[in-house]
mmCIF file of all heavy atoms in Angstrom:
data_model
loop_
_atom_site.group_PDB
_atom_site.id
_atom_site.type_symbol
_atom_site.label_atom_id
_atom_site.label_comp_id
_atom_site.label_asym_id
_atom_site.label_seq_id
_atom_site.Cartn_x
_atom_site.Cartn_y
_atom_site.Cartn_z
ATOM 1 N N PHE A 68 10.342 19.676 1.669
ATOM 2 C CA PHE A 68 8.997 19.923 1.147
ATOM 3 C C PHE A 68 8.762 21.426 1.004
ATOM 4 O O PHE A 68 8.937 22.186 1.952
ATOM 5 C CB PHE A 68 7.957 19.308 2.085
ATOM 6 C CG PHE A 68 6.536 19.438 1.586
ATOM 7 C CD1 PHE A 68 6.114 18.700 0.500
ATOM 8 C CD2 PHE A 68 5.650 20.293 2.203
ATOM 9 C CE1 PHE A 68 4.812 18.803 0.045
ATOM 10 C CE2 PHE A 68 4.339 20.405 1.759
ATOM 11 C CZ PHE A 68 3.919 19.658 0.671
ATOM 12 N N LEU A 84 8.390 9.736 -11.517
ATOM 13 C CA LEU A 84 9.430 10.625 -11.011
ATOM 14 C C LEU A 84 10.200 9.989 -9.861
ATOM 15 O O LEU A 84 9.651 9.209 -9.082
ATOM 16 C CB LEU A 84 8.807 11.933 -10.526
ATOM 17 C CG LEU A 84 8.199 12.848 -11.590
ATOM 18 C CD1 LEU A 84 7.481 14.006 -10.916
ATOM 19 C CD2 LEU A 84 9.259 13.376 -12.546
ATOM 20 N N ASP A 137 6.160 7.986 -1.004
ATOM 21 C CA ASP A 137 4.991 7.711 -1.835
ATOM 22 C C ASP A 137 4.305 9.030 -2.158
ATOM 23 O O ASP A 137 4.076 9.849 -1.269
ATOM 24 C CB ASP A 137 4.038 6.777 -1.068
ATOM 25 C CG ASP A 137 2.877 6.334 -1.921
ATOM 26 O OD1 ASP A 137 3.086 5.998 -3.092
ATOM 27 O OD2 ASP A 137 1.753 6.315 -1.398
ATOM 28 N N GLY A 138 3.997 9.228 -3.430
ATOM 29 C CA GLY A 138 3.455 10.517 -3.851
ATOM 30 C C GLY A 138 4.554 11.473 -4.262
ATOM 31 O O GLY A 138 4.478 12.671 -3.988
ATOM 32 N N THR A 139 5.574 10.954 -4.940
ATOM 33 C CA THR A 139 6.712 11.801 -5.329
ATOM 34 C C THR A 139 6.254 12.958 -6.206
ATOM 35 O O THR A 139 6.772 14.079 -6.093
ATOM 36 C CB THR A 139 7.781 10.967 -6.061
ATOM 37 O OG1 THR A 139 8.267 9.957 -5.172
ATOM 38 C CG2 THR A 139 8.944 11.828 -6.502
ATOM 39 N N GLY A 140 5.288 12.714 -7.089
ATOM 40 C CA GLY A 140 4.779 13.799 -7.926
ATOM 41 C C GLY A 140 4.204 14.935 -7.096
ATOM 42 O O GLY A 140 4.443 16.119 -7.381
ATOM 43 N N ASN A 141 3.455 14.596 -6.047
ATOM 44 C CA ASN A 141 2.939 15.625 -5.138
ATOM 45 C C ASN A 141 4.082 16.362 -4.461
ATOM 46 O O ASN A 141 4.071 17.597 -4.338
ATOM 47 C CB ASN A 141 2.046 14.984 -4.079
ATOM 48 C CG ASN A 141 0.749 14.444 -4.637
ATOM 49 O OD1 ASN A 141 0.370 14.741 -5.770
ATOM 50 N ND2 ASN A 141 0.061 13.635 -3.849
ATOM 51 N N PHE A 142 5.077 15.601 -4.010
ATOM 52 C CA PHE A 142 6.213 16.179 -3.301
ATOM 53 C C PHE A 142 6.962 17.179 -4.177
ATOM 54 O O PHE A 142 7.288 18.293 -3.740
ATOM 55 C CB PHE A 142 7.150 15.045 -2.876
ATOM 56 C CG PHE A 142 8.393 15.476 -2.171
ATOM 57 C CD1 PHE A 142 8.354 15.907 -0.859
ATOM 58 C CD2 PHE A 142 9.620 15.442 -2.811
ATOM 59 C CE1 PHE A 142 9.509 16.298 -0.196
ATOM 60 C CE2 PHE A 142 10.785 15.816 -2.167
ATOM 61 C CZ PHE A 142 10.728 16.253 -0.860
ATOM 62 N N VAL A 143 7.207 16.813 -5.414
ATOM 63 C CA VAL A 143 7.930 17.692 -6.338
ATOM 64 C C VAL A 143 7.158 18.995 -6.566
ATOM 65 O O VAL A 143 7.749 20.076 -6.675
ATOM 66 C CB VAL A 143 8.184 16.959 -7.674
ATOM 67 C CG1 VAL A 143 8.631 17.929 -8.758
ATOM 68 C CG2 VAL A 143 9.220 15.857 -7.483
ATOM 69 N N GLU A 144 5.836 18.900 -6.600
ATOM 70 C CA GLU A 144 5.007 20.081 -6.840
ATOM 71 C C GLU A 144 4.649 20.824 -5.554
ATOM 72 O O GLU A 144 3.921 21.814 -5.592
ATOM 73 C CB GLU A 144 3.739 19.676 -7.585
ATOM 74 C CG GLU A 144 4.029 19.124 -8.979
ATOM 75 C CD GLU A 144 2.770 18.689 -9.705
ATOM 76 O OE1 GLU A 144 1.664 19.009 -9.203
ATOM 77 O OE2 GLU A 144 2.884 18.033 -10.757
ATOM 78 N N GLY A 145 5.148 20.357 -4.417
ATOM 79 C CA GLY A 145 4.850 21.018 -3.148
ATOM 80 C C GLY A 145 3.422 20.840 -2.697
ATOM 81 O O GLY A 145 2.864 21.693 -2.000
ATOM 82 N N ARG A 146 2.801 19.719 -3.078
ATOM 83 C CA ARG A 146 1.413 19.447 -2.726
ATOM 84 C C ARG A 146 1.321 18.277 -1.763
ATOM 85 O O ARG A 146 2.093 17.329 -1.846
ATOM 86 C CB ARG A 146 0.588 19.097 -3.976
ATOM 87 C CG ARG A 146 0.395 20.218 -4.958
ATOM 88 C CD ARG A 146 -0.578 19.800 -6.063
ATOM 89 N NE ARG A 146 0.015 18.833 -6.992
ATOM 90 C CZ ARG A 146 -0.329 17.560 -7.057
ATOM 91 N NH1 ARG A 146 -1.236 17.062 -6.228
ATOM 92 N NH2 ARG A 146 0.234 16.756 -7.943
ATOM 93 N N LYS A 147 0.373 18.335 -0.848
ATOM 94 C CA LYS A 147 0.017 17.192 -0.032
ATOM 95 C C LYS A 147 -0.954 16.332 -0.835
ATOM 96 O O LYS A 147 -1.626 16.828 -1.741
ATOM 97 C CB LYS A 147 -0.658 17.637 1.268
ATOM 98 C CG LYS A 147 0.216 18.489 2.168
ATOM 99 C CD LYS A 147 -0.576 18.883 3.416
ATOM 100 C CE LYS A 147 0.254 19.727 4.365
ATOM 101 N NZ LYS A 147 -0.518 20.081 5.576
ATOM 102 N N PRO A 148 -1.066 15.025 -0.476
ATOM 103 C CA PRO A 148 -0.370 14.310 0.585
ATOM 104 C C PRO A 148 0.845 13.558 0.055
ATOM 105 O O PRO A 148 0.989 13.315 -1.149
ATOM 106 C CB PRO A 148 -1.424 13.324 1.076
ATOM 107 C CG PRO A 148 -2.172 12.959 -0.181
ATOM 108 C CD PRO A 148 -2.202 14.228 -1.021
ATOM 109 N N ILE A 149 1.693 13.160 0.985
ATOM 110 C CA ILE A 149 2.784 12.233 0.718
ATOM 111 C C ILE A 149 2.799 11.218 1.863
ATOM 112 O O ILE A 149 2.178 11.448 2.903
ATOM 113 C CB ILE A 149 4.149 12.935 0.597
ATOM 114 C CG1 ILE A 149 4.472 13.710 1.874
ATOM 115 C CG2 ILE A 149 4.176 13.850 -0.622
ATOM 116 C CD1 ILE A 149 5.866 14.328 1.879
ATOM 117 N N CYS A 229 -5.712 10.809 -4.943
ATOM 118 C CA CYS A 229 -4.832 11.879 -4.468
ATOM 119 C C CYS A 229 -3.382 11.691 -4.895
ATOM 120 O O CYS A 229 -2.496 12.381 -4.401
ATOM 121 C CB CYS A 229 -4.911 11.987 -2.952
ATOM 122 S SG CYS A 229 -4.310 10.514 -2.082
ATOM 123 N N ASN A 230 -3.115 10.745 -5.795
ATOM 124 C CA ASN A 230 -1.756 10.482 -6.284
ATOM 125 C C ASN A 230 -0.803 10.017 -5.192
ATOM 126 O O ASN A 230 0.412 10.224 -5.296
ATOM 127 C CB ASN A 230 -1.183 11.724 -6.979
ATOM 128 C CG ASN A 230 -1.983 12.124 -8.200
ATOM 129 O OD1 ASN A 230 -2.295 11.282 -9.038
ATOM 130 N ND2 ASN A 230 -2.342 13.389 -8.299
ATOM 131 N N CYS A 231 -1.336 9.410 -4.161
ATOM 132 C CA CYS A 231 -0.508 8.884 -3.082
ATOM 133 C C CYS A 231 -1.217 7.667 -2.487
ATOM 134 O O CYS A 231 -2.212 7.823 -1.767
ATOM 135 C CB CYS A 231 -0.272 9.951 -2.012
ATOM 136 S SG CYS A 231 0.696 9.379 -0.598
#
Side-chain angles (χ1 to χ4, degrees):
F68 184 71
L84 292 173
D137 186 43
T139 298
N141 291 347
F142 178 75
V143 167
E144 296 179 11
R146 293 187 288 109
K147 298 179 179 181
I149 58 175
C229 64
N230 298 312
C231 178

